[in-house]
Amino acid sequence: MIVGKPLFTTHQIQNRVQELAGRISHDYAKKELLVVGILKGAFMFFSDLVRNIEVPLTLDFIIASSYMKTQSTGEVKVFYDIRGDISESHVLLVEDIVDTGITLNHIRERVIARGPKSLKICSFLDKRERRIVDVPMDYIGFEIPNEFVVGYGLDYENRFRNLPYISIFKKKA
Ligand code: IMP
């Protein structure tokens, strides 16, 4: 297994996260946000993002899974969902990466069914050329080519999530 050199360094990531948080703070001025991280992959991006957002916020998580090894199963399971009534909330969903769009589309429809005041989506990475389901995205960290990446929360078989940068992952040299 090979983890290549960084596709995005820690420095590039932190700069981009600050830019996104700045835009979000601007767009939600005078509003209160409910920021919802989609776990596990978004945990690092989520925590960097929320500590740079400058409007009042509450937070929660959705724990969902749809991925086996490096292939999407196309099936989404939700193990934990946002608690309580969200009908008065401006919800911002925070995802690690959008690949086929199946996971995010499923989660988006679940959240919309609960009638939030508004819903926007922020994903750290976007693998646009792999998209099967079109999901409206409001904030994107980086667009990437069709490569499997790890680090900064993203895993291969639950490993490499702790790397502070993003690398392309190859199974064999
Ligand atoms: P989608 O449903 O195909 O859009 O897949 C989204 C989920 O697949 C993400 O939340 C990730 O957990 C996982 N995923 C997709 N591409 C990658 C990758 O390159 N590295 C690690 N996980 C990935």
Short mmCIF file of all heavy atoms in Angstrom, two decimals, residues 32 36 81 137:
data_model
loop_
_atom_site.label_atom_id
_atom_site.label_comp_id
_atom_site.label_asym_id
_atom_site.label_seq_id
_atom_site.Cartn_x
_atom_site.Cartn_y
_atom_site.Cartn_z
N GLU A 32 -28.28 32.28 13.07
CA GLU A 32 -27.61 31.25 13.85
C GLU A 32 -27.62 29.96 13.04
O GLU A 32 -28.61 29.63 12.40
CB GLU A 32 -28.32 31.04 15.20
CG GLU A 32 -27.57 30.04 16.04
CD GLU A 32 -27.97 30.09 17.51
OE1 GLU A 32 -28.37 31.15 18.01
OE2 GLU A 32 -27.88 29.02 18.14
N VAL A 36 -23.79 20.54 10.73
CA VAL A 36 -23.93 19.09 10.90
C VAL A 36 -22.82 18.37 10.15
O VAL A 36 -22.75 18.40 8.92
CB VAL A 36 -25.31 18.61 10.40
CG1 VAL A 36 -25.44 17.10 10.54
CG2 VAL A 36 -26.43 19.30 11.17
N ASP A 81 -28.50 10.21 13.81
CA ASP A 81 -29.06 11.34 13.06
C ASP A 81 -29.16 12.57 13.96
O ASP A 81 -29.08 12.46 15.19
CB ASP A 81 -30.44 10.93 12.52
CG ASP A 81 -30.78 11.63 11.21
OD1 ASP A 81 -30.16 12.67 10.90
OD2 ASP A 81 -31.66 11.14 10.51
N MET A 137 -24.38 21.88 -4.44
CA MET A 137 -23.32 22.13 -3.45
C MET A 137 -23.09 23.63 -3.34
O MET A 137 -23.01 24.31 -4.36
CB MET A 137 -22.03 21.47 -3.92
CG MET A 137 -22.24 20.03 -4.30
SD MET A 137 -21.60 18.97 -3.10
CE MET A 137 -19.92 18.99 -3.63
#
